[in-house]
Amino acid sequence: MRRSSVWLGRLHARAESVLEAERAQLPLWVPILLGAGIIAWFTLPAPPQWMAWIAFWLGVAAAFGAVGRGGRLPAALAVGAVLLAAGCLLIWAKALLVAQPPLARAAVVEMEARVLSATPLAARGLVRLEVAPLSRPDLPARVRINAAPDQMAEEIAAGDRIAVRARLMPPAPAALPGAYDFARTAYFSGLGATGRALGKVQRLDAATAGGDARATLAHHIAVRLPGPEGTIAITLATGNQNWISEADADAMRRSGLAHLLSISGLHVSALIGGVILIMVSLLALSPALALRWPVLMIAACVGGAAGIGYTVFTGAQVPTIRSCIAALLVIAGMALGREAIGLRLIATGALIVMIFWPEAVIGPSFQMSFVAVTAIVALYEYPPARRLFERRDEGRIKRWTRSLGALLATGLLVELVLTPIAFAHFHRSGLLGAAANMIAIPLTSFVVMPAEVLALVLDAVGLGAPVWWVVGVALKFLLWIAHTIASQPFATLSLPVSSGLAFALAMIGLLWLMLWHTALRWWGLPLTALGFFLTFLAPSADVLVTADGHHVAVRLRDGRMALLRDRSGDYVRTTLAEASAYDGEFASLAQAPDTGCTRDMCAMTLPGRADQPPVHLLISRSRLLVPYPELVAACAQADLVIADRPLPPGCVPRWAKLDRPALNAMGGALILLDSREIVPGHDPRSRHPWIAGTGSR
């Protein structure tokens, strides 16, 4: 007993000494622990588990508060436990406050509505209307409708009152495990239904004042700069990516340049920096002002106001808000005479976003923006890196080489820390993004954006044409870089859906490496390595089934993927390909080896691997009634039955039955035949409010 007490005492003393050395870094973990509590709410299925999580961590905090007798360790653990509980409580409260349950079922409705926004989807030839129904209190408060331009007799703008007949559906949930969950995003944005207009959209009353400034600006740029480069210019000015063609958007993603299309730190910083430079230059023209007034702070305040205006104008997306908050904190730090840029500034910005938009924590935008900026600041706070890259008195060639090396190291580090996020959300990551960004970021920051702002200003007096030519040439070059990099065979690496454990280990390890300053940081290396190892070892699913059971993809013995329905659209094909890390063309399941199909069902035999027996699949391909005795007999001969309709209790396969009710509850499935494992999209017990049938609990 005495020996164990001595050992525990030494361990406690060692922990106290480490925390004392890292005391300046402890506040950086506040947003991370709060975010972990938020993620726990999304991960755990139902209110009993949420309450258990909160009660457990509050109990842990009380225990450490009771037994702690001074020192940093008990206090740090107690505060950490409170933050883990607070994060879960915060997002739960936000979900209850939103309280806009989605439309219960598909319906065709006629309604009058007030237009909240009208966004052209130029690449798809549609106009997206977000409306607030006025005549149908049974409908959600916000509805999104797509309409073709020829369905509108006159142009519709925000503020108009319209009459429309539309087919509405609940926001689409994730089709497969790991796929984008639009229903969740729509719930927190207050969007309760989506659909398409049927017939003409009639404008009953025009907006009382003003119009959609973003749409007006987008149309102006489209006229001044037609072509693909104009769509990029519209995105940089308004934040609306819907003008960009799918080919250009895919090239930007594959080349690692997609972040340039999301209004974030790069754009906000360029705008604020440009405004500050202009204001300082103008104020310095007056000797009296330059000598008697704090010119730099006045210019910084004007720049901050411009940043706020730009953030609101471009839609106030999370990356833009984060960047604007960070810029305002930098200006506040300058005013107080403190170091302007540091990890505490990033942590403060993250904490503000989490408090007001806790749902953003699980999105790739939030994760990528904060992790990338954290990595950059941590790199330049690391003493060896700071000594290597800091400016010094040396020759021009050495100075340029050092700057180029710093830019390359920064790009490679950002690519590394973003890799697990890219794999978790998109199932692929760029391998050549660092090289592309070395050219694209300076081009966008110092040529495209300043020239575009100047062109818009000169358009007021009709002199913007020459500057628009410069913008067009620069953006053509940017698109050429994107398409050239994207066309390389190893531009991206695709991986199948991996476990949440792999992602969590990789991110905890990377954050551990970035946030600590002492040798404690190196404990994050094995966690990071294990997370990456598990990510790269994730097995590819043999069978993929969407949540409605309508689409099935099967991996054949030669490695090809075969689709049940040959006419599946591009979205379904892309979703299935990403989840299975498949880059080829889909074959037809009906023509696959060892497969026999009727108009109602497909029976298929997949050979087992190693000593595994073959697996017999039975998949429905129509909703026509099958004679009950035939169906029961076919089910008895199958190992796995998949159907996009409910199956009777008499259908009992040897292994598993995945009919529509089961698949809806699971959110789709990835099936590993060798291990007889079925990976669901979410826990079938889930009671999150955006899932159909759970209400607003």
Side-chain angles (χ1 to χ4, degrees):
M1 183 70 177
R2 182 178 300 174
R3 185 175 300 176
S4 63
S5 299
V6 171
W7 181 81
L8 288 174
R10 290 177 179 175
L11 183 63
H12 181 265
R14 176 59 180 164
E16 288 291 343
S17 64
V18 170
L19 290 178
E20 176 63 25
E22 294 279 12
R23 63 185 182 276
Q25 304 304 106
L26 292 178
L28 302 179
W29 290 92
V30 170
I32 294 172
L33 292 170
L34 189 70
I38 294 171
I39 293 172
W41 184 84
F42 284 101
T43 304
L44 297 172
Q49 287 79 19
W50 307 336
M51 290 186 286
W53 173 276
I54 295 170
F56 173 78
W57 288 113
L58 290 179
V60 170
F64 279 114
V67 303
R69 294 293 185 269
R72 294 186 184 275
L73 181 60
L77 293 175
V79 171
V82 169
L83 289 169
L84 288 167
C88 185
L89 191 60
L90 177 65
I91 183 62
W92 192 358
K94 176 67 179 288
L96 293 174
L97 288 173
V98 172
Q100 281 291 329
L103 188 70
R105 60 186 63 85
V108 175
V109 302
E110 294 186 6
M111 61 178 172
E112 293 183 8
R114 181 71 63 188
V115 178
L116 303 176
S117 67
T119 306
L121 307 181
R124 297 169 55 188
L126 297 171
V127 177
R128 174 169 292 165
L129 304 174
E130 283 201 10
V131 302
L134 300 175
S135 60
R136 294 291 300 270
D138 56 320
L139 294 178
R142 287 181 60 199
V143 172
R144 194 172 76 183
I145 301 170
N146 289 340
D150 58 8
Q151 290 180 285
M152 295 180 289
E154 47 194 337
E155 187 174 349
I156 303 296
D160 291 351
R161 187 168 66 91
I162 62 171
V164 61
R165 183 172 182 264
R167 184 177 188 272
L168 299 181
M169 300 183 67
L176 286 169
Y180 174 60
D181 192 346
F182 175 66
R184 182 179 62 203
T185 303
Y187 178 81
F188 282 102
S189 64
L191 189 66
T194 63
R196 181 150 190 164
L198 303 175
K200 293 293 184 180
V201 180
Q202 299 179 355
R203 187 172 70 178
L204 303 178
D205 292 317
T208 54
D212 191 335
R214 294 174 69 193
T216 302
L217 179 60
H219 283 294
H220 175 80
I221 296 174
V223 171
R224 303 297 288 171
L225 199 63
E229 59 274 15
T231 64
I232 305 295
I234 290 171
T235 297
L236 296 178
T238 67
N240 180 8
Q241 300 184 28
N242 294 311
W243 290 74
I244 302 175
S245 70
E246 184 56 36
D248 288 341
D250 186 64
M252 295 291 283
R253 286 192 295 267
R254 292 176 63 85
S255 62
L257 301 180
H259 66 94
L260 297 177
L261 304 179
S262 176
I263 304 298
S264 58
L266 176 67
H267 313 82
V268 175
S269 301
L271 175 72
I272 293 177
V275 171
I276 291 175
L277 179 62
I278 293 172
M279 287 303 301
V280 167
S281 302
L282 292 176
L283 293 174
L285 294 176
S286 169
L289 288 177
L291 294 174
R292 298 176 184 175
W293 292 83
V295 170
L296 181 58
M297 283 310 307
I298 294 174
C301 291
V302 175
I308 294 173
Y310 184 56
T311 298
V312 174
F313 181 77
T314 55
Q317 301 298 318
V318 170
T320 324
I321 294 171
R322 186 268 307 165
S323 304
C324 186
I325 291 172
L328 296 177
L329 291 174
V330 168
I331 294 172
M334 292 169 54
L336 297 173
R338 304 288 297 273
E339 183 178 356
I341 301 177
L343 290 175
R344 289 199 175 191
L345 178 146
I346 300 169
T348 303
L351 195 59
I352 293 173
V353 172
M354 286 181 187
I355 291 173
F356 292 99
W357 300 277
E359 68 277 7
V361 171
I362 62 169
S365 177
F366 176 93
Q367 294 171 6
M368 286 185 161
S369 59
F370 278 103
V371 170
V373 177
T374 300
I376 294 171
V377 175
L379 173 66
Y380 287 91
E381 285 189 355
Y382 185 49
R386 176 177 288 185
R387 289 194 297 269
L388 179 62
F389 297 137
E390 66 183 358
R391 301 185 67 176
R392 61 197 70 184
D393 187 12
E394 58 186 357
R396 183 176 300 175
I397 294 178
K398 286 186 177 180
R399 185 168 65 251
W400 286 358
T401 302
R402 193 178 304 278
S403 299
L404 187 63
L407 186 61
L408 180 60
T410 302
L412 291 174
L413 177 63
V414 170
E415 289 291 334
L416 175 65
V417 299
L418 295 185
T419 294
I421 303 175
F423 283 139
H425 293 281
F426 311 117
H427 317 303
R428 64 181 180 182
S429 178
L431 300 179
L432 303 176
N437 278 288
M438 287 181 63
I439 304 172
I441 290 178
L443 178 68
T444 304
S445 301
F446 303 116
V447 179
V448 174
M449 290 202 65
E452 187 169 353
V453 171
L454 180 60
L456 290 170
V457 172
L458 292 178
D459 275 349
V461 292
L463 299 176
V467 188
W468 280 119
W469 179 85
V470 174
V471 175
V473 171
L475 288 175
K476 283 182 180 178
F477 182 48
L478 179 67
L479 285 171
W480 178 84
I481 294 172
H483 283 279
T484 301
I485 294 294
S487 64
Q488 302 307 308
F490 301 105
T492 60
L493 174 65
S494 298
L495 292 178
V497 175
S498 56
S499 68
L501 175 63
F503 176 59
L505 289 174
M507 293 312 302
I508 292 172
L510 287 171
L511 290 170
W512 196 275
L513 283 165
M514 291 187 290
L515 297 188
W516 297 123
H517 276 174
T518 65
L520 181 64
R521 74 191 318 163
W522 303 117
W523 291 13
L525 276 178
L527 284 178
T528 304
L530 180 59
F532 275 89
F533 181 73
L534 293 176
T535 299
F536 282 92
L537 281 187
S540 298
D542 299 297
V543 183
L544 300 90
V545 191
T546 57
D548 58 4
H550 195 65
H551 300 283
V552 180
V554 180
R555 192 177 301 276
L556 304 179
R557 67 179 73 180
D558 58 5
R560 292 182 302 152
M561 297 292 293
L563 276 179
L564 174 67
R565 304 184 189 278
D566 299 340
R567 297 183 180 180
S568 298
D570 291 339
Y571 175 77
V572 171
R573 291 172 180 265
T574 300
T575 302
L576 291 168
E578 289 179 350
S580 57
Y582 180 67
D583 292 328
E585 293 293 328
F586 284 93
S588 171
L589 187 66
Q591 300 174 4
D594 301 319
T595 303
C597 291
T598 67
R599 64 173 185 172
D600 301 316
M601 309 288 285
C602 279
M604 183 178 193
T605 300
L606 292 176
R609 298 173 186 172
D611 57 347
Q612 296 287 336
V615 178
H616 302 281
L617 304 181
L618 182 65
I619 308 170
S620 72
R621 61 185 312 204
S622 79
R623 296 191 177 182
L624 299 176
L625 291 177
V626 179
Y628 184 78
E630 294 180 17
L631 178 62
V632 170
C635 289
Q637 295 175 9
D639 295 294
L640 176 65
V641 178
I642 300 169
D644 61 350
R645 55 183 168 178
L647 292 176
C651 175
V652 183
R654 290 191 287 261
W655 173 30
K657 178 172 68 175
L658 298 179
D659 59 359
R660 182 153 190 163
L663 289 166
N664 279 339
M666 297 167 60
L670 306 179
I671 303 170
L672 308 175
L673 296 179
D674 285 350
S675 59
R676 292 294 196 273
E677 182 181 359
I678 299 175
V679 180
H682 56 73
D683 193 317
R685 301 169 298 169
S686 179
R687 293 297 179 268
H688 290 99
W690 56 86
I691 295 177
T694 64
S696 58
R697 289 170 287 179

